[in-house]
Amino acid sequence: MHIMPRGKIPLHLLLHLAVRNLLRSKKRSLITISSVFFAVLLALIAESINEGSHESLIDTTVKLSTGYIQIADTAYLRTPSLDLAIPWNREIHQQLLQLPFPAHYVPRIQNFMLAAGERKTSGALVQGIDPDAEDRFNGLRSKIIRGALFDTKGGAVLGRELADYLQLDVGDTIVLIGQGFQGSLASGKYHIAGIVKLNIKELNKITVFLPLNQARELLDMPSLVTHVLVEPLKSAHTQKLAHAIQAKFSTEGITALTWQQLLPELLQALAFDTISNRVLLGILYVVVGFGIFGTVLTMTLERTREFGILISIGMKRRALAYVLAIETFFLGLSGVLAGIIVGLPVLLYMKHHPIPLGGDLEAIADDFGIEPMLYFSTHPSIFAGQGLVILLICSFIALYPYRYVMKLNFLKAAKGE
């Protein structure tokens, strides 16, 4: 370490001293940087998996159920009924497309009915859909495992478990019986055009898809739908778009609710999972913090004689303490940057190549109605948040060498006592 004259030392010289000291003991510096690097990398992976699984669960759930926004009658959420259907035509669609926030609109008719095969019957959730709009929204065609998403004559598409229970397959006939619009009797016979495997297991047990025009004919509700799902092109616009739709159609008894309002149970489950992940990260931070502190403690104690000599020949305690604090901060910053630089391409690759779960984990995922895949996220907040936390830990640890030098008995230290 260079000896500085008495008086106030410029900041750039303090920085220069800190860098020279770190480069002088490369092995010691690399050990500290490595501990920070692995801490950041592990924290990034843990947080990425947590956020990725949440994003996947939200995306899967809203696209098969509520949408990011749901347009419906103001009373439909409390009493889902065909009698609370709303009008849907090209004119209304064009009015929605003129709103300032671009979005994709998916009309649906939804009703519970009795589905029957030759030997068995079961309750079914009959959904009338626009196949092209639905496919753009949730890739429904890619989930067809046999047959097709309707054919030239329409037909019905059944969830895999429902088809197995009713002992039906592509080409067979299914009969639907129930109550239509305004209490009318609804019954129809349809050939099965396809079998679908949805990401949510429970829906596979009850779902029957019909083309929107056939569902309208079955339920006697021309030009009506029970609700319209909305997917903003930018998820950040969800709340603003919901308010814009609400303002435009409020006088007609139509409301627009976000998925957070429609799925409070999902929000609570995600919040609980986030808290659990934060606890695990907290344990990791404690372990990492003590590891970094141990390295800094060793680094400080083995340089005690050096500190005593520097103070005895005229270097101010505060300047020396600043240099040590800067060294610790630089070590932490180097480890954080290295962790982010290595972690970013790894997480980018994993985001586009999620890990399939097998064995018992796949069965558990199916039981919870989620896709058996381990997804990763690369949201900027993950990198900023984890890097900032580790830097704060390093900054807190930097207080130790600062206080150590400020309280050091330089005479004993210079003698090596």
Side-chain angles (χ1 to χ4, degrees):
M1 180 179 286
H2 293 291
I3 301 172
M4 298 302 301
R6 291 180 178 274
K8 187 175 180 180
I9 302 177
L11 178 60
H12 72 277
L13 289 181
L14 294 178
L15 295 174
H16 179 72
L17 283 172
V19 172
R20 289 290 298 272
N21 288 336
L22 293 177
L23 294 176
R24 185 186 62 177
S25 303
K26 295 182 178 65
K27 184 179 293 186
R28 184 176 59 202
S29 300
L30 285 175
I31 291 173
T32 307
I33 292 173
S34 297
S35 65
V36 178
F37 164 77
F38 285 110
V40 173
L41 192 59
L42 288 173
L44 287 177
I45 292 174
E47 188 69 4
S48 177
I49 293 174
N50 185 66
E51 289 296 320
S53 62
H54 287 186
E55 291 172 2
S56 173
L57 181 59
I58 291 170
D59 191 64
T60 299
T61 304
V62 302
K63 286 188 175 182
L64 289 175
S65 56
T66 64
Y68 289 91
I69 302 171
Q70 179 174 288
I71 304 173
D73 187 274
T74 52
Y76 184 78
L77 179 61
R78 296 190 302 273
T79 311
S81 169
L82 294 180
D83 296 340
L84 296 173
I86 59 175
W88 178 257
N89 51 46
R90 181 169 296 183
E91 180 183 350
I92 294 174
H93 192 191
Q94 288 300 319
Q95 291 180 34
L96 290 169
L97 292 177
Q98 292 172 6
L99 293 174
F101 307 104
H104 180 51
Y105 296 89
V106 185
R108 280 186 186 175
I109 294 175
Q110 188 168 289
N111 189 38
F112 282 96
M113 303 182 73
L114 185 67
E118 289 187 4
R119 298 179 181 85
K120 292 184 177 181
T121 60
S122 175
L125 177 65
V126 178
Q127 298 194 56
I129 62 172
D130 178 334
D132 293 330
E134 201 76 32
D135 188 52
R136 287 195 302 270
F137 182 48
N138 56 30
L140 189 58
R141 280 194 175 91
S142 66
K143 297 176 175 63
I144 300 294
I145 56 175
R146 294 195 297 276
L149 183 60
F150 312 134
D151 52 32
T152 55
K153 295 182 180 180
V157 174
L158 274 63
R160 183 181 62 176
E161 276 77 9
L162 177 61
D164 291 342
Y165 177 78
L166 296 177
Q167 299 176 4
L168 298 174
D169 208 336
V170 175
D172 293 336
T173 299
I174 185 172
V175 176
L176 300 175
I177 303 173
Q179 182 174 303
F181 185 62
Q182 295 183 340
S184 62
L185 178 63
S187 63
K189 184 169 65 173
Y190 303 92
H191 71 279
I192 298 175
I195 306 297
V196 65
K197 180 185 177 184
L198 303 172
N199 294 338
I200 299 178
K201 185 177 181 179
E202 293 303 315
L203 288 179
N204 284 314
K205 299 178 180 179
I206 60 174
T207 298
V208 176
F209 291 115
L210 291 176
L212 188 61
N213 60 339
Q214 289 189 357
R216 281 173 166 173
E217 182 180 350
L218 170 67
L219 301 169
D220 192 23
M221 46 189 302
S223 302
L224 297 174
V225 295
T226 54
H227 56 282
V228 179
L229 309 187
V230 185
E231 181 188 26
L233 295 186
K234 295 183 178 180
S235 58
H237 293 162
T238 298
Q239 293 288 347
K240 294 179 180 178
L241 179 57
H243 291 153
I245 296 172
Q246 181 83 39
K248 189 172 186 63
F249 294 100
S250 59
T251 58
E252 302 176 29
I254 295 175
T255 188
L257 300 175
T258 63
W259 70 268
Q260 291 94 334
Q261 296 170 292
L262 295 166
L263 299 172
E265 298 86 0
L266 178 60
L267 273 182
Q268 292 173 0
L270 294 178
F272 178 78
D273 188 58
T274 299
I275 292 172
S276 302
N277 188 64
R278 293 290 185 272
V279 171
L280 293 176
L281 283 177
I283 296 172
L284 174 64
Y285 292 147
V286 170
V287 173
V288 169
F290 276 107
I292 298 172
F293 177 72
T295 306
V296 172
L297 176 64
T298 303
M299 178 182 71
T300 303
L301 293 178
E302 70 180 14
R303 296 170 65 188
T304 300
R305 189 166 184 271
E306 173 189 333
F307 299 154
I309 293 172
L310 288 171
I311 295 173
S312 64
I313 61 177
M315 187 170 187
K316 289 184 174 294
R317 289 176 182 267
R318 192 172 298 276
L320 180 58
Y322 283 154
V323 170
L324 293 175
I326 291 171
E327 288 179 25
T328 306
F329 181 78
F330 275 3
L331 290 172
L333 181 62
S334 300
V336 167
L337 292 178
I340 292 176
I341 291 171
V342 173
L344 179 58
V346 171
L347 295 182
L348 282 172
Y349 177 83
M350 299 309 298
K351 179 178 181 180
H352 295 95
H353 300 83
I355 301 173
L357 301 177
D360 294 338
L361 291 177
E362 183 177 7
I364 293 172
D366 272 344
D367 289 340
F368 280 94
I370 59 177
E371 195 172 3
M373 302 288 286
L374 193 61
Y375 289 97
F376 293 76
S377 174
T378 55
H379 195 279
S381 62
I382 296 174
F383 298 92
Q386 301 310 311
L388 182 60
V389 169
I390 300 296
L391 278 180
L392 288 175
I393 292 174
C394 293
S395 299
F396 181 75
I397 291 173
L399 294 176
Y400 172 77
Y402 179 90
R403 289 177 57 84
Y404 182 83
V405 169
M406 295 302 292
K407 294 183 177 181
L408 182 67
N409 185 324
F410 69 94
L411 292 177
K412 290 184 178 182
K415 295 176 182 178
E417 297 180 5

